[in-house]
């Protein structure tokens, strides 16, 4: 069993508490630019979508890393971890990630990617809307699937 | 330095100069930021007799020390300037993410002075600041301006701008940020327009630091729990938005109807938050760091009023709704969209249209004045058309865009303007709710609800219960709310956080962020200092105790129907006590002892 971070854009209100919690956890200050999660808002449509590393099984960032700094965690299931001691800051991981979920930060000489706060993601704790969820893989889509199932239930209840 | 960035940015549009100054931290400790600090800067730098629309007026954008942190629902900023509507210190408060972005760019405040020779916009990217030509964006709506400015700066820049109403110097023009959030009242948009400043775009990559991270996190977790457990802060506002108040106020008998001719609107339910959620609502939205999410993303499909945007808030739905005798929520939502797109205050404009409707029904004005429109109460297309005209400034709209006081006075009937100190009073009838009347009368920016929201107790029973119909205890209640809000606004917090937390939680978060120890008493004292500072400014503008008044109608014409039938407001029973409890003399002038106590003398 492994936990996965689930994103529910339909529930996101664009408040960016996730970004604040993430940067506070990693730097003890508020710097959204240091956040490993970004909630983008399209103002005309009033729609927001949080984006963060999905800890790919077959991760492009791990594949291209020449030193093994980007690696699958041996202690936590479903975590692509970054070892700052081994990393040479070649930034190939930031080039390889097709989602843009790893970036290099010059100020701190770090690669910013989600580390799930080592299994207790603060963004999830601080999201007031349930738009971010840290759930067992077996229940990964349960809330979404069940919400839709409930609509069918309503419909069938009426006709039966 | 914690909470504050330590730097204030000054832009002189006449000279084209950009300078950085150290924020006066001693003052910041006493005035916090936003409304308090902005007001202090203005009083120190703007002569009282300055013409609000002259280059000598200043326009100050200031977030608070909590802004940019994850203190719940505390990402706000204030626009402070001398108000073109009524000469008071206009402090218009807005949410969104513009305030936090200013902090991340490195600034506690942005002071704009002078006047550009031609239309410009300001581009702030951390410490790179440029005044740029805005000739290509002048004339555009606020959403289009936002997109155009972003295309020239950064796609994620936060943009505050004026629409056509601000360009036309309407004294009820607002400043919109991120397309849908408004620094709405007292005509701050006209000051921006008078400076030929179309927009401000900000992009910041810095940080807001915290003195005691562990203490702050603990205080935030506690505050969040309290708000989330509150029936209004935790669930009500997200489900129905502020417009949930329509039915509540109507059931109280205090929903001003047809320009305050009545206090009850039988079909009000059609305009309430429940109806909005059932039809126009697309999804709730939150400002920066907000856990309440009262924002409404809305859509109107009805081809006559089609549109997409945000709102309406309760006060807007009331102004274009019950106050105009209208119960068509599609049309109300459309009027709200038009106001946001053109940058004009919904409360003042809706109330001004209601005033014009009464003038029309009395025969003071006719279709000749109104460009042929039968401007009667309940005429839905007329209301939307007049809103559009006021937004663009065409025909009779140019008169409406002056606000109800100037409109009614120009036709010899100032008594039909439902204003205090020339600013339109919002959606709570002082005849049905006594304490809010005292707040309107004494409020430093005139007709205003947010700076003395006694409704929280008198109607919503938030933490305490008080009969809305009695006058006893209301002076004390008003003062408490006015002082609390002075400090809360200046910290960068949202008024709605008080649906869950109070001065205790705010003072604790503020102490943990800034490293300056604020007790509850000190926090409230800051609010009192700010209130008195604003009062002193008003006295210099020539306002006297005679202006601590309500429209005569509210004192002499009883509500005709509904639960508060027969009621009038008894301001005279509350005002002397208010002065006394404030430590002011019988003419409403703060005593020397009071000013000394507040370090204002």
């Amino acid at each position: 069993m492994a936990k996965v971070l689930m994103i529910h854009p339909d529930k996101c209100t664009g408040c960016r508490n996730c970004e604040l919690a993430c940067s506070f956890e990693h730097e003890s200050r508020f710097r959204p630019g240091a956040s490993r999660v970004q909630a983008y808002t399209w103002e005309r449509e009033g729609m927001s979508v949080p984006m963060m590393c999905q800890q790919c099984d077959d991760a492009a960032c791990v594949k291209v890393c020449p030193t093994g700094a980007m690696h699958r965690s041996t202690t936590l299931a479903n975590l692509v971890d970054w070892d700052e001691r081994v990393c040479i800051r070649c930034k190939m991981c930031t080039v390889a990630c097709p989602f843009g979920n790893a970036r290099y930060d010059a100020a701190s000489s770090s690669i910013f990617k989600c580390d799930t706060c080592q299994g207790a993601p603060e963004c999830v704790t601080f999201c007031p809307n349930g738009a971010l969820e840290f759930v067992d893989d077996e229940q990964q889509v349960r809330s979404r699937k069940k919400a839709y199932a409930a609509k069918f239930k309503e419909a069938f209840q009426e006709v039966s | 330095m914690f909470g504050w960035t330590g730097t204030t940015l000054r832009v002189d549009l006449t000279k084209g100069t950009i300078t950085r100054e150290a924020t006066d931290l001693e003052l910041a400790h006493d005035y916090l930021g936003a409304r308090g600090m902005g007001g202090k800067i203005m009083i120190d730098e703007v002569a009282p007799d300055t013409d609000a629309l002259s280059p000598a007026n200043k326009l100050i954008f200031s977030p608070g020390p909590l802004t940019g942190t994850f203190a719940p629902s505390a990402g706000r900023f204030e626009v402070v300037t001398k108000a073109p509507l009524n000469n008071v210190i206009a402090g218009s408060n807005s949410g969104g993410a513009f305030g936090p972005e200013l902090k991340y760019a490195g600034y506690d405040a942005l002071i704009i002075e002078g006047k550009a020779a031609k239309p410009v916009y300001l581009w702030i990217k951390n410490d790179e600041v440029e005044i740029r030509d805005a000739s290509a964006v002048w004339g555009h709506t606020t959403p289009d301006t936002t997109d155009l400015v972003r295309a020239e700066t950064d796609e994620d820049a936060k943009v505050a701008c004026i629409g056509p109403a601000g360009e036309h110097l309407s004294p009820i023009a607002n400043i919109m940020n991120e397309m849908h959030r408004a620094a709405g009242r007292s005509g701050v948009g006209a000051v921006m327009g008078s400076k030929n400043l179309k927009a401000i775009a900000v992009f910041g990559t810095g940080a807001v630091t915290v003195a005691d991270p562990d203490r702050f996190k603990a205080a935030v977790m506690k505050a969040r729990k309290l708000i989330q457990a509150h029936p209004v802060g935790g669930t009500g506002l997200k489900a129905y938005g502020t417009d949930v108040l329509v039915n509540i106020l109507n059931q109280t008998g205090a929903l001003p109807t047809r320009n305050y001719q009545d206090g009850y609107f039988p079909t009000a339910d059609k305009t309430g938050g429940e109806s909005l959620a059932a039809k126009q609502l697309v999804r709730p939205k939150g400002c920066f760091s907000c856990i309440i999410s009262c924002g409404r993303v809305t859509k109107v499909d009805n081809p006559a009023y089609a549109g997409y945007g945000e709102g309406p808030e309760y006060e807007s739905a009331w102004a274009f709704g019950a106050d105009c005798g209208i119960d068509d929520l599609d049309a109300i939502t459309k009027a709200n969209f038009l106001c946001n797109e053109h940058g004009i205050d919904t409360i003042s404009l809706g109330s001004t249209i209601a005033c014009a409707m009464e003038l029309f029904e009395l025969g003071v004005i006719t279709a000749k004045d109104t460009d042929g429109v039968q401007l009667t109460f309940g005429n839905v297309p007329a209301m939307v058309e007049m809103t559009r005209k006021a937004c663009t400034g065409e025909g009779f709209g140019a008169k409406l865009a002056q606000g109800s006081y100037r409109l009614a006075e120009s036709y010899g009937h100032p008594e039909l303007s439902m204003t205090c100190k020339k600013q339109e009073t919002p959606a709570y009838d002082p005849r049905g709710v006594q304490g809010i009347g005292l707040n309107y009368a004494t409020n430093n920016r005139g007709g205003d609800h947010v700076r003395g929201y006694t409704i929280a107790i008198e109607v919503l029973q938030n933490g305490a219960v008080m009969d809305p119909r009695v006058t006893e205890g209301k002076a004390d209640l008003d003062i408490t709310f006015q002082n609390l809000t002075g400090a809360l606004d200046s910290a960068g917090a949202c008024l709605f956080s008080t649906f869950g937390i109070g001065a205790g939680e705010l003072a604790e978060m503020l102490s943990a962020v800034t490293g300056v120890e604020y007790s509850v008493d000190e926090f409230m004292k800051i609010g009192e200092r700010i209130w008195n500072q604003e009062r002193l400014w008003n006295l210099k503008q020539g306002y006297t105790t005679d202006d601590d008044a309500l429209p005569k109608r509210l004192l002499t014409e009883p509500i005709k129907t509904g639960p508060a039938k027969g009621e009038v407001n008894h301001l005279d029973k509350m005002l002397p006590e208010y002065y006394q409890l404030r430590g002011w003399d019988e003419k409403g002038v703060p005593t020397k002892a009071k000013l000394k106590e507040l370090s204002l003398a």
Side-chain angles (χ1 to χ4, degrees):
Chain A
M1 197 164 64
K3 290 219 171 203
V4 291
L5 259 166
M6 272 297 286
I7 293 167
H8 301 278
D10 53 315
K11 293 181 182 171
C12 182
T13 64
C15 70
R16 296 168 69 193
N17 272 297
C18 52
E19 296 183 27
L20 293 167
C22 182
S23 77
F24 191 70
E25 171 67 16
H26 289 94
E27 295 192 338
S28 293
R29 58 183 186 159
F30 297 100
R31 180 164 74 106
S35 173
R36 281 69 166 162
V37 53
Q38 259 80 41
Y40 292 108
T41 294
W42 282 260
E43 284 165 14
R44 276 192 193 266
E45 297 87 349
M47 180 86 198
S48 302
V49 180
M51 284 289 286
M52 66 175 70
C53 171
Q54 292 298 299
Q55 321 292 346
C56 310
D57 276 2
D58 190 10
C61 60
V62 172
K63 271 191 187 163
V64 298
C65 181
T67 66
M70 205 61 85
H71 63 282
R72 290 215 71 79
S73 170
T74 49
T75 51
L76 279 172
N78 193 38
L79 174 68
V80 173
D81 216 352
W82 171 69
D83 187 340
E84 65 173 323
R85 294 163 305 174
V86 183
C87 176
I88 58 168
R89 277 70 172 173
C90 69
K91 310 169 190 70
M92 291 308 289
C93 54
T94 69
V95 177
C97 177
F99 308 102
N101 279 328
R103 86 157 176 96
Y104 170 70
D105 183 60
S108 60
S109 181
S110 303
I111 300 298
F112 284 166
K113 79 165 277 303
C114 173
D115 60 1
T116 69
C117 299
Q118 299 303 318
E122 285 287 282
C123 55
V124 173
T125 306
F126 277 82
C127 175
N129 301 303
L132 298 172
E133 223 186 350
F134 196 51
V135 286
D136 290 333
D137 56 347
E138 287 151 2
Q139 278 110 48
Q140 185 202 358
V141 295
R142 181 170 64 181
S143 63
R144 187 173 294 167
K145 203 167 186 172
K146 214 166 174 177
Y148 215 87
K151 290 183 190 171
F152 278 112
K153 172 188 158 265
E154 295 298 322
F156 281 112
Q157 248 176 347
E158 274 177 34
V159 293
S160 61
Chain B
M1 182 159 349
F2 305 102
W4 296 283
T5 65
T7 305
T8 293
L9 181 65
R10 187 182 294 274
V11 177
D12 186 323
L13 293 173
T14 305
K15 296 181 196 149
T17 55
I18 291 150
T19 46
R20 278 167 203 82
E21 301 163 5
T23 302
D24 186 334
L25 286 178
E26 255 178 63
L27 282 183
H29 293 175
D30 291 347
Y31 291 89
L32 300 181
R35 174 175 157 197
M37 196 65 176
K40 176 66 179 156
I41 293 169
M42 191 188 126
I43 285 172
D44 288 347
E45 298 191 10
V46 177
D49 62 352
T50 303
D51 177 346
L53 296 180
S54 75
N57 195 7
K58 301 195 181 185
L59 185 65
I60 301 155
F61 291 76
S62 180
L66 290 179
T67 308
T69 73
F70 63 14
S73 308
R76 301 185 71 88
F77 70 101
E78 194 102 357
V79 181
V80 180
T81 189
K82 183 174 178 180
L85 182 67
N86 55 2
N87 294 329
V88 304
I89 301 179
S92 284
N93 189 287
S94 183
F98 183 83
E101 202 73 20
L102 260 184
K103 292 278 290 282
Y104 300 137
Y107 306 107
D108 293 316
L110 161 64
I111 305 170
I112 293 159
E113 46 196 46
K115 176 185 179 178
K118 56 183 178 48
V120 295
Y121 71 86
L122 194 60
W123 168 221
I124 302 169
K125 185 183 181 185
N126 297 322
D127 52 4
E128 298 165 30
V129 182
E130 278 178 65
I131 300 167
R132 290 185 171 182
D133 176 36
S135 49
V137 284
W138 197 260
H140 282 281
T141 63
T142 59
D144 288 351
T145 299
T146 304
D147 278 342
L148 288 165
V149 169
R150 277 200 184 126
E152 291 184 8
T153 56
D154 187 285
E155 64 189 60
D156 284 332
K158 302 293 172 255
V159 177
C161 65
I162 54 170
E167 296 173 12
H168 299 151
L169 310 182
S170 157
I172 56 171
N174 67 20
I175 296 172
M176 300 294 299
N177 59 287
E178 290 117 87
M179 300 191 189
H180 310 289
R181 306 315 305 176
R185 307 221 65 196
S186 317
V188 293
V191 176
M192 197 154 155
S194 75
K195 297 188 176 308
N196 270 330
L197 181 62
K198 177 66 174 170
I200 302 166
V202 190
F203 187 73
T205 57
V208 174
T209 53
V210 179
D212 188 338
D214 290 340
R215 181 181 172 189
F216 183 57
K217 188 174 172 187
V220 167
M221 291 309 272
K222 187 183 163 206
R224 284 172 60 102
K225 281 203 181 95
L226 289 167
I227 294 168
Q228 283 168 331
H230 193 282
V232 179
T235 43
L237 282 171
K238 185 174 179 185
Y240 299 119
T242 56
D243 198 27
V244 71
L245 287 166
V246 164
N247 281 321
I248 295 171
L249 267 295
N250 205 36
Q251 283 151 19
T252 307
L255 185 71
T257 300
R258 292 182 298 278
N259 201 35
Y260 283 82
Q261 293 185 72
D262 208 342
Y264 181 73
F265 189 48
T267 54
D269 176 50
K270 291 185 187 174
T271 69
E274 299 88 339
S275 298
L276 191 77
K279 196 171 172 199
Q280 294 85 2
L281 181 68
V282 178
R283 65 180 74 86
K285 194 172 161 190
C287 292
F288 194 90
S289 90
C290 185
I291 65 168
I292 296 172
S293 315
C294 72
R296 308 284 90 183
V297 177
T298 48
K299 183 173 70 152
V300 177
D301 293 325
N302 176 353
Y305 305 118
Y308 196 104
E310 283 188 30
E313 300 291 337
Y314 164 59
E315 287 75 14
S316 317
W318 157 79
F320 295 115
D323 204 34
C324 288
I326 281 170
D327 62 11
D328 183 328
L329 196 47
D330 280 343
I332 292 166
T333 305
K334 178 65 177 182
N336 187 70
F337 289 158
L338 286 168
C339 289
N340 288 350
E341 288 157 10
H342 293 81
I344 197 163
D345 179 31
T346 54
I347 298 175
S348 285
L349 182 58
S351 180
T352 302
I353 292 173
C355 173
M357 285 174 165
E358 188 167 359
L359 288 167
F360 189 93
E361 292 202 346
L362 289 171
V364 177
I365 59 174
T366 66
K368 277 186 191 163
D369 300 288
T370 60
D371 312 326
V373 173
Q374 292 296 309
L375 196 53
T376 51
F377 285 109
N379 186 338
V380 176
M383 180 278 285
V384 177
E385 176 61 5
M386 285 298 148
T387 300
R388 191 191 63 75
K389 286 189 168 223
C391 284
T392 55
E394 67 183 82
F396 188 60
K399 287 207 127 183
L400 294 169
Q402 298 304 306
S404 72
Y405 185 83
R406 288 166 172 86
L407 176 82
E409 194 192 33
S410 74
Y411 291 108
H413 286 276
E415 78 283 0
L416 295 181
S417 162
M418 295 296 116
T419 49
C420 293
K421 299 182 178 72
K422 298 184 187 172
Q423 175 155 275
E424 288 72 13
T425 56
Y428 311 87
D429 197 316
R431 293 168 295 192
V433 187
Q434 294 291 324
I436 200 69
L438 177 63
N439 170 60
Y440 289 165
T442 59
N443 201 293
N444 286 324
R445 64 174 188 177
D448 163 76
H449 59 299
V450 286
R451 290 179 168 190
Y453 198 65
T454 63
I455 298 300
I457 304 288
E458 291 186 281
V459 178
L460 303 175
Q461 306 181 352
N462 178 27
V465 181
M466 275 179 109
D467 185 343
R469 307 281 171 76
V470 304
T471 54
E472 288 77 25
K474 297 298 170 65
D476 188 48
L477 178 72
D478 260 298
I479 291 168
T480 302
F481 267 94
Q482 290 173 347
N483 292 350
L484 170 68
T485 314
L488 176 151
D489 282 347
S490 304
C494 173
L495 178 61
F496 295 160
S497 66
T498 59
F499 291 114
I501 63 172
E505 289 77 18
L506 288 163
E508 172 63 14
M509 290 192 288
L510 204 52
S511 303
V513 165
T514 60
V516 181
E517 214 48 48
Y518 291 101
S519 66
V520 169
D521 285 350
E522 282 158 338
F523 184 76
M524 293 299 285
K525 187 68 80 186
I526 288 171
E528 188 182 8
R529 178 179 300 121
I530 291 163
W531 193 266
N532 277 270
Q533 157 177 285
E534 293 164 348
R535 177 76 178 183
L536 291 176
W537 172 271
N538 282 357
L539 294 171
K540 282 186 190 163
Q541 297 304 320
Y543 284 117
T544 69
T545 183
D546 293 342
D547 300 297
D548 291 338
L550 288 172
K552 199 175 156 209
R553 165 170 288 170
L554 306 181
L555 305 170
T556 58
E557 290 178 32
I559 288 179
K560 296 186 184 84
T561 63
K565 182 180 173 181
E567 299 283 340
V568 293
N569 187 273
H570 304 289
L571 180 63
D572 57 337
K573 288 189 185 159
M574 300 180 281
L575 193 59
E577 187 191 3
Y578 175 90
Y579 285 169
Q580 193 200 349
L581 291 174
R582 275 248 171 249
W584 298 353
D585 67 18
E586 71 282 0
K587 296 205 156 153
V589 179
T591 60
K592 279 190 179 153
K594 177 53 77 179
L595 295 180
K596 204 173 164 199
E597 178 197 323
L598 298 171
S599 312
L600 286 171

